[in-house]
Amino acid sequence: MERKSLLADNAMTTLETMLDFLGITETDDSTKNNIERLINAASSYIETMTNRKFALREYTETHFPTGYQELCLKQYPIREVMSVEDTRYHQELDPDSYSFADTGDIGVLFSDAGWELRGYRSGLANDLTKLNRCLKVKYRAGYILPKDATEEHPADLPYDLQYIVWQMVQQQWNLANNGANGLAAFSISDVSWTFDHALSEQVQAVINQYMRWT
């Protein structure tokens, strides 16, 4: 019976690549399953810490107009914008009125005319006090993950992200194989072993680089 892959939709490397990185040439289904679980865990951890999704997917979001020329979307890099709708007037904006050509890598939709504030006015000065979340954006963003790659559309997930997944899986795999899960250190006679459960500075630096701050 053929083994069913356990890789999640957001898995940021493949089983074959991970086995090669670990130097494992022959293995059973149980080992493969456990390595895929570690890949899933590492990938989800990175997404949680960066507050981002990395797989190329379609998103629909509603936003408040900013009053500036920049509108920050939640996911990036932006690959395509299908539509921007002003839901207050049920009107689709002209695609020529906005662009992501120069700002899509950081998730910004740019409009020369600016994203005009909409809302409700109140008080003696008739100030705009309650903003209307009237922009609905449908777009595609993210990277082609290694497991989703084809000859026509090769993977473009940055290698530094892939590498820290390999490092995180390798660290946990070595700990598990040494029976050290949950241990910080142990001693037998004059031999002392210490296990590093913390992420390396290199891994943390890459996570910080891809973190979404807005």
Side-chain angles (χ1 to χ4, degrees):
M1 185 176 179
E2 187 177 352
R3 187 187 73 91
K4 182 179 178 180
S5 173
L6 301 181
L7 284 180
D9 288 343
N10 65 341
M12 296 167 70
T13 191
T14 64
L15 174 63
E16 293 72 24
T17 300
M18 198 64 245
L19 289 173
D20 185 55
F21 187 81
L22 293 172
I24 299 175
T25 55
E26 296 182 9
T27 186
D28 56 19
D29 286 352
S30 177
T31 298
K32 292 178 180 178
N33 290 343
N34 286 332
I35 290 175
E36 287 185 335
R37 291 185 182 104
L38 290 176
I39 291 172
N40 294 341
S43 302
S44 294
Y45 179 84
I46 292 170
E47 287 194 338
T48 299
M49 296 304 295
T50 58
N51 195 24
R52 289 178 60 184
K53 303 292 183 183
F54 290 95
L56 180 60
R57 297 289 184 268
E58 183 177 316
Y59 299 95
T60 300
E61 298 171 358
T62 54
H63 291 269
F64 295 102
T66 62
Y68 302 100
Q69 292 177 306
E70 298 84 9
L71 182 70
C72 295
L73 305 184
K74 293 181 180 179
Q75 306 302 332
Y76 53 94
I78 302 170
R79 297 302 184 94
E80 178 187 4
V81 176
M82 282 82 84
S83 66
V84 179
E85 180 188 355
D86 185 334
T87 59
R88 190 173 185 183
Y89 297 106
H90 304 287
Q91 182 179 11
E92 231 177 75
L93 303 187
D94 183 352
D96 291 335
S97 67
Y98 54 83
S99 170
F100 61 90
D102 298 322
T103 55
D105 283 347
I106 55 174
V108 172
L109 203 55
F110 187 88
S111 170
D112 282 327
W115 301 97
E116 182 185 355
L117 291 175
R118 301 282 179 82
Y120 306 95
R121 299 183 180 277
S122 61
L124 295 176
N126 200 31
D127 291 329
L128 198 62
T129 55
K130 294 183 179 179
L131 293 180
N132 189 328
R133 192 168 61 175
C134 61
L135 296 176
K136 180 187 286 187
V137 185
K138 292 183 179 180
Y139 68 106
R140 294 173 72 244
Y143 300 100
I144 299 174
L145 301 182
K147 68 178 184 59
D148 300 324
T150 63
E151 187 173 339
E152 185 179 359
H153 301 289
D156 57 7
L157 181 71
Y159 276 109
D160 53 354
L161 280 171
Q162 296 184 55
Y163 185 64
I164 65 170
V165 173
W166 303 339
Q167 285 189 308
M168 292 168 69
V169 172
Q170 182 184 54
Q171 180 186 41
Q172 295 306 312
W173 181 252
N174 289 341
L175 287 172
N177 280 347
N178 289 321
N181 279 337
L183 295 179
F186 73 91
S187 298
I188 300 177
S189 186
D190 326 354
V191 181
S192 177
W193 294 79
T194 301
F195 301 98
D196 181 12
H197 291 76
L199 294 178
S200 70
E201 290 184 6
Q202 181 184 27
V203 169
Q204 191 60 58
V206 173
I207 288 176
N208 292 343
Q209 179 183 341
Y210 287 92
M211 195 170 292
R212 181 168 70 87
W213 298 101
T214 57

